Amino acid sequence: MAEKYDFMKIEEKWQKRWEESNLYKVTEDPTKKKRYILEMFPYPSGELHMGHMRNYVIGDVVARYNKMRGYNILHPMGYDAFGLPAENAAIQHGIHPKEWTYQNISTMRKQLRCQGISYDWDREITTCEPDYYKWGQWLFLKFMERGLVYREKASVNWCPGCETVLANEQVVGGRCWRCDNLVESKELEQWFFKITEYSEDLLKDLDLLTGWPERVKIMQTNWIGRSEGALVDFPLKDSGEKIPIFTTRPDTLFGVSFFILAPEHPLVDKLVVGTKYRKEVEAFRRMVSTKTEIDRTAPEIEKQGLFIGKYVINPLNGEDVPVWIADYVLMEYGTGAIMAVPAHDQRDFEFARRYNLPIKVVIQLEDEPLDEKTMTQAYEGEGVMVNSGPFTGMPSTEGTKAVTTYLEEKGIGKFAVTYRLRDWLISRQRYWGNPIPIIYCDKCGIVPVPEEDLPVILPENVDFRRKGISPLVAVEEFVNTACPKCFGPARRETDTMDTFTCSSWYFLRYTSPHEDKASFDTEAANYWMPVDQYIGGIEHAVMHLLYARFFTKAMYDMGLCKAKEPFSNLLTQGMVVKDGAKMSKSKGNVVSCDEIVNKYGADTGRLFILFAAPPEKDLDWSDQGVQGCFRFLNRVWRVVHENIESWTHGTGEARELDELDKELKYMTHRTVKKVTQDVERFSFNTAIAAIMELVNTNFKYNESKNRAARNGEVLRETTEKLVLLLSPFAPHIAEELWEKMRGKKSIYLQAWPSYDEELAKAPEITLVVQVNGKVRDRIKVPADITEDEMREVALSSEKVKKYTEGKEIVKVITVPGKLVNLVVQETRVASS
């Protein structure tokens, strides 16, 4: 009788032993192939639940499997420790953000260890530690030297809930990505990273990322938003000034009937100063400032505008064109000005109809001519150019190029490419973040903090409850400093950096986390990078993933690393859903990791979240499913002990394999092949199902033979391969069983089991094929043939076709693994 499966005792034993032996510690080894496996590191917001754990367990399976395949594995963990949640919790509970953060890190570290995740804990990083954020400040200064950092006054996204500025990528549907408050527009002096310098590289290098999900690449392509067209100068009437616009449809230039500036456009003030329109413009701007970008650009919301009494001249036909300001034109996109062609742009059409502005058709359809008087919507497609001077009669597809060429020849325009991507606004008016290493001097202006003075330490004695401005403003000992150039009185920058700056290079720091002379050791980074498998949520597709790519490209150009892309392969795991909603504290539907570990063991929890659904799909939590996985591990425990007893106390005589021996041997090799293939493609659920099937076959084998009749060598091979296959999924029980079978060397250090291709082939059976109950063929087929495959084989038999040709197959009856009966009848010929 096997001893009881005491999961708590086993898991505590092996976690302690793994830690004491430094089993997962890794160093660079040029003689070995490497694999860098990384899950997106967590924000230390509190206890982990099983929804969080899915990400880390998936990564652990990949890491353990690749280790057993002979790779040198880097599998680190750390904490994205700066950010708003810590500060908000501090305000709410009266606890310092640092204390709150480190309490949570301690809890999460313990939970991850209890899951048996194979992290090299010696490489742990915490982004709020000075030895980490010092190098974030250093990178800021290096980016600044390369012209990738600048400061300017800009209209920004202001979240009243978080009381800070947000980057464009952090505004989702007009709301803050973190707190869901409606975002407002505000004008402030801010620091930016010039990510647009890499727009084209970020776009074209998506082609290099063959291991990324297509939908993530599409999301990034759309966000970068490359557009080809023409940059055209519209002269301001009675002035030498020219206002540039970008258009993707230069073929419609002759259809311009009005001109629009964004309300925020700096030229607007100049145009209305001293005119009767100034007060109206100020009122209009105040109204627009209350709207979000979504409100201003949503197609279903009515557009609003104001004529400002000025005209521009259409450079192609010399016509005067009235200048308006309108809410649907944004300063952040293009040049902040547009030529309005209402006949061929739907937003312009709706605006023209509302304000009774002219509509001119310049692209005509041959079969259904357009009439500007009766049009109910804009025509935005291709056609023949009309009312277009020398270009009239030309197909619009040709006209686009012809008009652009003409503009270039006349010096009034040129071919151009624009991008939707805006520069990354990194200033945050909050305390708990990486200080921006800048000093302001009345004499010297903006002065970077010298490298030897880094890090600029974030002070701890801070009133972080201040509203609307950085709490650092009130910390005099932090703000007041000496200018590094003239040594006169100066003041520090009090904004901190966007938290995403910390997560944009952490994967490089993991390669040498204790390096104190540089952000990371270039030689170590060049050995490990790029990350071979990155795992995390789809919600970071156009934030973290885009920023990390930008940082890597900039550091590549600086000669800091050889990787041009940070992540070769990307897996975006699905959510864990309970009671119809994503598992989260706010929904009150979390399942605690500790609850599962204490009741069933970490291996059971791991097995369930891997077995219940493919990793890229959402997973429905099921208590019954968890119990089923626990029963399965108990079954594994029993069958392995039974097998050990069998080969330990068997006769030891060599014997010829009988049919049951052959079946178990076949199932063993077939399972190794299937699990190997399934793990390679992250089909963990089907891999586990195959292991379960092998266990069932093993039980049936033992039930069919008494102990003396069992073949010890066959059982030994099955048992060893079974436990090895199980080890990436349920490492604790696998370690315990491996020790009982093979001694003290960890199963983590064993080679992945091999299989014999011939032995993995299913034994053949004879499939009987009948037509209307009469045997017409007997065909050799694999024993594991499916019913669909049986039908296909039967219908393709030449012998059978003699009896089915020209006849209607009414029904196909199958007896799995034995017989197919085709019921046919004569085809009826319709009477005339």
Side-chain angles (χ1 to χ4, degrees):
M1 187 72 178
E3 60 190 271
K4 182 187 175 186
Y5 169 45
D6 188 342
F7 60 83
M8 193 163 289
K9 179 180 176 182
I10 290 167
E11 291 178 0
E12 286 178 358
K13 165 187 171 180
W14 286 106
Q15 287 161 18
K16 183 179 179 183
R17 191 175 293 185
W18 293 334
E19 185 176 351
E20 289 174 346
S21 65
N22 285 319
L23 182 65
Y24 305 125
K25 187 175 176 61
V26 66
T27 56
E28 295 73 50
D29 185 347
T31 66
K32 287 185 178 179
K33 301 173 293 180
K34 68 90 182 179
R35 281 286 186 272
Y36 185 174
I37 313 300
L38 184 63
E39 304 94 60
M40 293 181 185
F41 65 169
Y43 187 85
S45 58
E47 290 190 4
L48 294 171
H49 56 67
M50 295 307 292
H52 297 127
M53 202 54 68
R54 190 181 193 196
N55 185 26
Y56 313 124
V57 170
I58 289 170
D60 195 45
V61 171
V62 177
R64 288 176 178 276
Y65 168 76
N66 278 282
K67 174 67 176 178
M68 296 174 78
R69 295 304 299 252
Y71 290 98
N72 196 25
I73 299 298
L74 175 58
H75 188 209
M77 174 47 66
Y79 306 94
D80 192 9
F82 274 138
L84 283 174
E87 194 164 340
N88 289 340
I91 294 168
Q92 185 178 353
H93 302 297
I95 182 173
H96 196 280
K98 181 177 181 179
E99 183 182 348
W100 186 84
T101 298
Y102 279 92
Q103 283 178 2
N104 291 337
I105 285 174
S106 177
T107 299
M108 293 170 77
R109 185 189 295 120
K110 180 182 176 183
Q111 288 182 301
L112 288 166
R113 286 180 182 275
C114 284
Q115 290 293 324
I117 311 286
S118 58
Y119 293 134
D120 179 356
W121 287 103
D122 188 50
R123 292 176 181 261
E124 183 184 59
I125 60 173
T126 303
T127 62
C128 65
E129 289 282 0
D131 65 356
Y132 182 85
Y133 70 72
K134 166 185 179 178
W135 298 109
Q137 295 171 7
W138 181 83
L139 286 169
F140 177 98
L141 297 177
K142 290 301 174 186
F143 281 19
M144 197 172 187
E145 288 174 11
R146 297 183 68 84
L148 295 175
V149 176
Y150 65 93
R151 185 174 187 256
E152 73 173 23
K153 196 169 189 178
S155 179
V156 299
N157 304 305
W158 178 262
C159 173
C162 296
E163 294 174 333
T164 193
V165 166
L166 304 175
N168 288 340
E169 293 82 3
Q170 294 164 331
V171 181
V172 181
R175 294 178 178 273
C176 173
W177 73 288
R178 190 178 289 281
C179 74
D180 206 39
N181 267 289
L182 279 171
V183 173
E184 300 170 357
S185 182
K186 202 170 188 178
E187 200 155 272
L188 294 171
E189 286 274 4
Q190 301 287 284
W191 286 98
F192 292 83
F193 279 162
K194 202 171 184 182
I195 190 173
T196 53
E197 188 76 13
Y198 287 88
S199 296
E200 190 62 29
D201 286 343
L202 289 167
L203 186 62
K204 69 180 176 62
D205 286 353
L206 286 170
D207 292 338
L208 303 176
L209 302 177
T210 55
W212 280 39
E214 198 58 33
R215 68 170 177 154
V216 174
K217 294 199 286 184
I218 289 171
M219 289 168 75
Q220 290 211 0
T221 297
N222 292 341
W223 191 260
I224 296 166
R226 185 182 193 274
S227 297
E228 291 186 1
L231 203 61
V232 187
D233 289 329
F234 277 70
L236 188 63
K237 189 176 181 181
D238 302 326
S239 166
E241 189 143 14
K242 294 178 180 178
I243 308 176
I245 63 95
F246 173 80
T247 177
T248 59
R249 294 293 303 269
D251 56 315
T252 66
L253 262 163
F254 285 88
V256 176
S257 60
F258 54 100
F259 192 90
I260 303 180
L261 295 172
E264 304 88 353
H265 199 294
L267 187 59
V268 173
D269 286 324
K270 183 178 177 182
L271 295 180
V272 300
V273 66
T275 73
K276 65 178 183 179
Y277 299 99
R278 185 176 63 82
K279 287 188 177 180
E280 291 181 69
V281 166
E282 289 175 355
F284 186 83
R285 278 176 163 172
R286 285 195 296 272
M287 180 274 294
V288 171
S289 71
T290 65
K291 296 184 177 184
T292 67
E293 182 179 320
I294 295 297
D295 291 335
R296 291 175 63 176
T297 58
E300 69 277 6
I301 296 178
E302 192 172 42
K303 315 297 180 279
Q304 294 179 280
L306 179 71
F307 175 59
I308 62 172
K310 297 294 181 181
Y311 293 84
V312 292
I313 299 169
N314 187 323
L316 284 189
N317 59 18
E319 290 182 356
D320 290 354
V321 180
V323 178
W324 288 63
I325 57 175
D327 58 358
Y328 71 95
V329 178
L330 306 177
M331 193 62 217
E332 291 78 17
Y333 296 96
T335 65
I338 68 164
M339 61 176 212
V341 186
H344 306 293
D345 181 277
Q346 185 60 29
R347 295 187 308 169
D348 296 345
F349 179 86
E350 292 169 7
F351 192 85
R353 284 285 191 245
R354 177 172 185 187
Y355 292 100
N356 198 29
L357 294 167
I359 296 174
K360 302 177 185 178
V361 172
V362 291
I363 305 296
Q364 192 57 270
L365 296 170
E366 292 182 9
D367 52 348
E368 255 184 84
L370 302 170
D371 182 351
E372 49 260 31
K373 294 178 183 177
T374 58
M375 289 175 70
T376 56
Q377 62 182 33
Y379 173 68
E380 298 178 329
E382 306 295 341
V384 177
M385 294 178 69
V386 297
N387 305 319
S388 299
F391 305 99
T392 297
M394 186 179 289
S396 58
T397 49
E398 296 176 18
T400 296
K401 184 177 180 181
V403 171
T404 304
T405 302
Y406 179 83
L407 292 169
E408 290 184 331
E409 289 172 353
K410 297 297 182 182
I412 54 177
K414 62 182 179 180
F415 173 80
V417 175
T418 65
Y419 299 88
R420 179 177 182 263
L421 181 66
R422 303 291 95 189
D423 282 333
W424 177 10
L425 194 163
I426 66 157
S427 294
R428 297 294 178 268
Q429 294 68 42
R430 299 302 293 246
Y431 160 63
W432 192 238
N434 191 358
I436 294 175
I438 291 293
I439 291 171
Y440 300 100
C441 173
D442 290 338
K443 181 179 178 182
C444 304
I446 295 175
V447 182
V449 173
E451 286 183 27
E452 60 270 20
D453 292 342
L454 298 180
V456 176
I457 297 291
L458 187 70
E460 295 188 22
N461 185 23
V462 172
D463 179 5
F464 42 79
R465 293 166 296 183
R466 292 176 64 85
K467 301 283 185 179
I469 58 173
S470 172
L472 293 174
V473 171
V475 186
E476 292 186 10
E477 60 270 30
F478 174 81
V479 176
N480 298 325
T481 188
C483 173
K485 285 187 175 181
C486 70
F487 307 107
R491 61 195 182 281
R492 292 192 188 278
E493 171 63 75
T494 54
D495 284 356
T496 53
M497 293 189 223
D498 179 8
T499 314
F500 279 104
T501 61
C502 295
S503 58
S504 293
W505 67 281
Y506 78 109
F507 42 88
L508 282 154
R509 183 67 178 174
Y510 277 141
T511 65
S512 48
H514 307 298
E515 174 61 53
D516 61 358
K517 299 291 190 292
S519 52
F520 50 86
D521 179 78
T522 296
E523 191 174 327
N526 290 339
Y527 173 79
W528 289 113
M529 289 292 292
V531 173
D532 295 283
Q533 185 62 61
Y534 199 37
I535 303 162
I538 190 74
E539 65 272 16
H540 294 298
V542 291
M543 286 194 282
H544 162 60
L545 291 172
L546 192 65
Y547 298 149
R549 294 183 65 218
F550 160 61
F551 258 67
T552 303
K553 290 182 182 303
M555 288 188 280
Y556 171 85
D557 287 347
M558 290 160 62
L560 295 178
C561 63
K562 289 182 179 178
K564 290 184 73 174
E565 287 287 342
F567 316 119
S568 296
N569 298 285
L570 174 68
L571 174 65
T572 52
Q573 87 280 357
M575 299 182 299
V576 176
V577 176
K578 188 172 187 287
D579 303 328
K582 176 185 176 181
M583 192 176 285
S584 69
K585 291 179 192 172
S586 61
K587 297 280 195 309
N589 63 346
V590 300
V591 176
S592 163
C593 296
D594 297 343
E595 175 189 340
I596 296 299
V597 166
N598 292 332
K599 191 171 183 180
Y600 299 106
D603 282 346
T604 292
R606 290 171 58 112
L607 200 69
F608 171 73
I609 56 179
L610 294 165
F611 178 60
E616 70 278 5
K617 303 292 185 184
D618 289 350
L619 180 158
D620 283 314
W621 185 265
S622 164
D623 293 335
Q624 292 78 16
V626 175
Q627 293 163 10
C629 288
F630 182 63
R631 287 194 298 271
F632 168 69
L633 290 180
N634 275 274
R635 194 168 169 81
V636 169
W637 182 261
R638 292 196 304 273
V639 78
V640 169
H641 279 83
E642 177 72 13
N643 291 350
I644 293 172
E645 286 288 319
S646 295
W647 78 61
T648 302
H649 300 293
T651 61
E653 297 175 2
R655 65 182 76 178
E656 193 173 326
L657 301 183
D658 61 23
E659 289 303 311
L660 288 173
D661 296 333
K662 290 176 182 177
E663 182 187 4
L664 183 57
K665 199 170 184 68
Y666 151 68
M667 279 298 296
T668 300
H669 286 260
R670 173 186 176 230
T671 302
V672 173
K673 179 179 180 179
K674 178 161 179 54
V675 172
T676 303
Q677 292 172 341
D678 285 351
V679 172
E680 286 284 349
R681 59 175 179 257
F682 305 133
S683 188
F684 305 129
N685 55 323
T686 55
I688 293 168
I691 296 172
M692 289 176 171
E693 190 177 353
L694 176 60
V695 170
N696 290 339
T697 303
N698 196 161
F699 260 105
K700 289 176 185 175
Y701 176 89
N702 289 351
E703 288 170 355
S704 301
K705 291 187 171 192
N706 60 43
R707 185 171 292 169
R710 297 171 194 164
N711 190 307
E713 286 308 306
V714 171
L715 276 178
R716 184 186 294 273
E717 180 188 31
T718 293
T719 309
E720 289 183 358
K721 290 185 186 301
L722 164 64
V723 176
L724 288 166
L725 292 175
L726 185 63
S727 63
F729 307 104
H732 304 90
I733 189 174
E735 281 279 26
E736 183 71 12
L737 293 172
W738 188 257
E739 183 183 56
K740 291 179 182 297
M741 291 188 298
R742 303 287 289 181
K744 294 182 180 179
K745 191 175 180 182
S746 172
I747 198 168
Y748 178 74
L749 302 174
Q750 305 302 317
W752 185 253
S754 60
Y755 61 90
D756 185 308
E757 191 68 59
E758 286 301 313
L759 290 174
K761 288 181 180 177
E764 289 187 329
I765 59 168
T766 299
L767 180 67
V768 175
V769 184
Q770 298 176 340
V771 179
N772 289 342
K774 293 184 178 180
V775 176
R776 300 302 185 187
D777 201 358
R778 288 183 170 86
I779 307 169
K780 292 287 187 183
V781 296
D784 61 350
I785 190 170
T786 66
E787 290 190 61
D788 287 340
E789 290 169 337
M790 287 169 58
R791 291 188 189 94
E792 189 177 332
V793 167
L795 292 168
S796 61
S797 165
E798 292 299 324
K799 292 180 181 178
V800 170
K801 285 179 181 178
K802 294 179 187 178
Y803 301 96
T804 59
E805 283 179 2
K807 297 178 181 177
E808 180 186 357
I809 299 175
V810 179
K811 195 174 185 181
V812 180
I813 301 168
T814 58
V815 179
K818 292 184 179 180
L819 175 144
V820 176
N821 181 28
L822 306 176
V823 181
V824 301
Q825 67 181 19
E826 296 293 336
T827 304
R828 295 177 183 175
V829 179
S831 58
S832 58

